Amino acid sequence: MDKKNIDWSNIGFGYIKTDKRYVSNYSNGKWDDGQIIDDDMITMSECACVLQYAQTIFEGLKAYTTKDGHIVVFRPDLNAERLANSAKRMEMPVFPVEKFIDSIEQVVRANEAYVPPYGTGASLYLRPYMFGINPVIGVKPADEFQYRVFTTPVGPYFKGGAKPLTIKISDFDRAAPKGTGYIKAGLNYAMSLHAIVTAHNEGFDENMYLDAATRTKVEETGGANFLFVTKDNKIVTPKSDSILPSITRRSLMTVAKDYLGLEVEEREVYLDEVKDFAECGLCGTAAVISPVGKINNHGEEICFPSGMDEMGPVTKKLYDTLTGIQMGRIEAPEGWIKTID
Ligand code: PLP
Ligand code: COI
């Protein structure tokens, strides 16, 4: 298979239109068979529920070329499960796990020429999403839905790749205690747009959101979970019902424990104790694990000993092991890697 003529090693995290996408429609209480199509445009009613009341959810995962030339995806079953949880919370129909996996396989195969070659540092980002498409004017859920998956080749989410980030404590909240922070709904990202523009305008790379109820505990950023390393090399990650259960973070905890022999702890993390950690990273599909060098709390700086030049040593080990598993250099735990033949 000839690859597209793209400068793979120098792409960032942006949208590059690829040739094919997957679509399936839901009406009269059931999903159709689904198919691969060429058209990237969507036509819908001006009164579609997604346009008026933001009834939309999504997922994000990546396809990689491994060292020995296979194309693989990382733990798609967990994305299927999380999309189902998002659907239930948003009064949308569940897209069955088997259909989800099949849609991923079909869309990756159809866009094989866009899967970046091994060793370029790039991957093919897959974006499954679902939205309410029929007209709705009184506030209620749609009863017709569309599920789609598009793909786009991507490089690092943060400019500068592995260079430590500077983030700020946000004055805005991302998720309410009994709200939708634990699912991947478009509305969570809509309400973070003003906060991210504010952070960028002030010269920061990202926001650290605190818990909305007490503003004393660390939640997450707009698109990644936090992972901290203590001075005695323990891995600590915030536990909260209002953050997204990151598949990358859950995988990194297993990597830390089973591959690196480190102690791991998922617990409430208070802002007050952040200054005592040795390293800090943002983890997610897009972010992989991006190091944080500095956190600005209303002018007061928390500087991690790992500094602003490179990833801390434990973050680096976690990064190398996880990406080694994803790219086929290190043996994966059972069921983590799905090969697309
Ligand atoms: N938190 C938020 C708010 C996200 O948008 C994402 C991205 O998906 C994550 C965390 C990381 O989740 P995952 O590792 O499953 O990609
Ligand atoms: C992902 O990591 O897949 C995400 O969805 C994060 C997004 C904010 C780009």
Side-chain angles (χ1 to χ4, degrees):
M1 154 73 56
D2 285 343
K3 293 288 175 186
K4 297 284 173 178
N5 185 17
I6 293 174
D7 184 7
W8 305 105
S9 303
N10 289 306
I11 53 174
F13 197 89
Y15 175 71
I16 298 171
K17 191 174 110 182
T18 62
D19 295 340
K20 309 280 181 184
R21 56 278 304 132
Y22 176 95
V23 60
S24 177
N25 288 296
Y26 179 93
S27 62
N28 299 319
K30 55 179 193 305
W31 289 104
D32 69 12
D33 285 342
Q35 59 175 323
I36 293 288
I37 58 164
D38 292 333
D39 194 358
D40 60 315
M41 293 295 170
I42 302 174
T43 303
M44 67 179 84
S45 164
E46 62 191 355
C47 198
C49 193
V50 60
L51 298 179
Q52 302 310 321
Y53 302 127
Q55 195 182 22
T56 179
I57 57 178
F58 66 100
E59 274 302 322
L61 66 166
K62 285 174 172 173
Y64 310 86
T65 305
T66 60
K67 193 166 177 242
D68 56 4
H70 293 292
I71 296 177
V72 300
V73 290
F74 185 68
R75 310 189 78 179
D77 50 319
L78 297 188
N79 294 96
E81 188 185 293
R82 196 169 60 188
L83 188 74
N85 290 336
S86 298
K88 287 175 197 156
R89 177 65 172 80
M90 291 293 288
E91 292 294 337
M92 300 167 87
V94 167
F95 196 67
V97 176
E98 322 77 66
K99 281 178 83 74
F100 180 93
I101 304 287
D102 176 56
S103 71
I104 296 300
E105 288 187 27
Q106 285 197 44
V107 83
V108 173
R109 266 192 215 114
N111 292 292
E112 196 184 331
Y114 288 95
V115 183
Y118 175 76
T120 56
S123 52
L124 187 69
Y125 186 70
L126 315 178
R127 175 52 68 88
Y129 59 115
M130 190 204 292
F131 48 92
I133 198 167
N134 62 295
V136 161
I137 193 69
V139 178
K140 62 172 188 174
D143 39 41
E144 291 177 7
F145 297 86
Q146 191 163 99
Y147 166 86
R148 284 186 168 241
V149 191
F150 71 77
T151 68
T152 183
V154 295
Y157 187 65
F158 293 104
K159 280 194 224 80
K163 241 186 125 28
L165 305 167
T166 302
I167 65 174
K168 70 167 283 186
I169 310 279
S170 182
D171 289 321
F172 302 100
D173 294 324
R174 180 176 186 275
K178 300 230 181 287
T180 52
Y182 72 99
I183 59 160
K184 213 159 162 57
L187 62 91
N188 292 332
Y189 300 81
M191 63 186 281
S192 76
L193 297 177
H194 179 59
I196 193 68
V197 169
T198 305
H200 286 164
N201 286 344
E202 293 172 359
F204 300 105
D205 297 302
E206 249 297 354
N207 283 297
M208 171 186 272
Y209 292 102
L210 301 178
D211 73 297
T214 70
R215 301 191 66 82
T216 58
K217 287 177 272 186
V218 176
E219 292 261 292
E220 60 177 331
T221 70
N225 283 179
F226 279 102
L227 199 146
F228 298 100
V229 183
T230 64
K231 287 184 177 140
D232 54 359
N233 287 351
K234 190 196 285 180
I235 308 296
V236 177
T237 190
K239 187 178 171 69
S240 162
D241 291 338
S242 47
I243 65 174
L244 194 77
S246 160
I247 294 162
T248 313
R249 184 255 300 162
R250 285 182 273 163
S251 304
L252 284 166
M253 297 300 266
T254 303
V255 163
K257 191 155 55 77
D258 296 350
Y259 285 66
L260 305 178
L262 301 174
E263 214 180 309
V264 300
E265 202 174 30
E266 187 182 354
R267 61 163 169 86
E268 292 185 329
V269 173
Y270 285 85
L271 176 59
D272 280 354
E273 59 177 310
V274 168
K275 61 177 185 340
D276 301 325
F277 290 121
E279 297 175 40
C280 171
L282 308 183
C283 39
T285 298
V288 192
I289 177 162
S290 302
V292 174
K294 229 192 289 190
I295 302 177
N296 190 299
N297 183 9
H298 302 94
E300 185 194 322
E301 286 193 335
I302 300 169
C303 300
F304 295 103
S306 47
M308 293 304 292
D309 293 329
E310 54 185 18
M311 275 191 190
V314 178
T315 306
K316 174 98 173 73
K317 269 192 211 151
L318 286 168
Y319 179 91
D320 287 345
T321 313
L322 181 70
T323 53
I325 289 170
Q326 290 167 333
M327 313 274 174
R329 292 187 295 267
I330 296 175
E331 194 173 338
E334 172 102 35
W336 277 24
I337 299 294
K338 168 140 197 76
T339 305
I340 314 262
D341 307 308

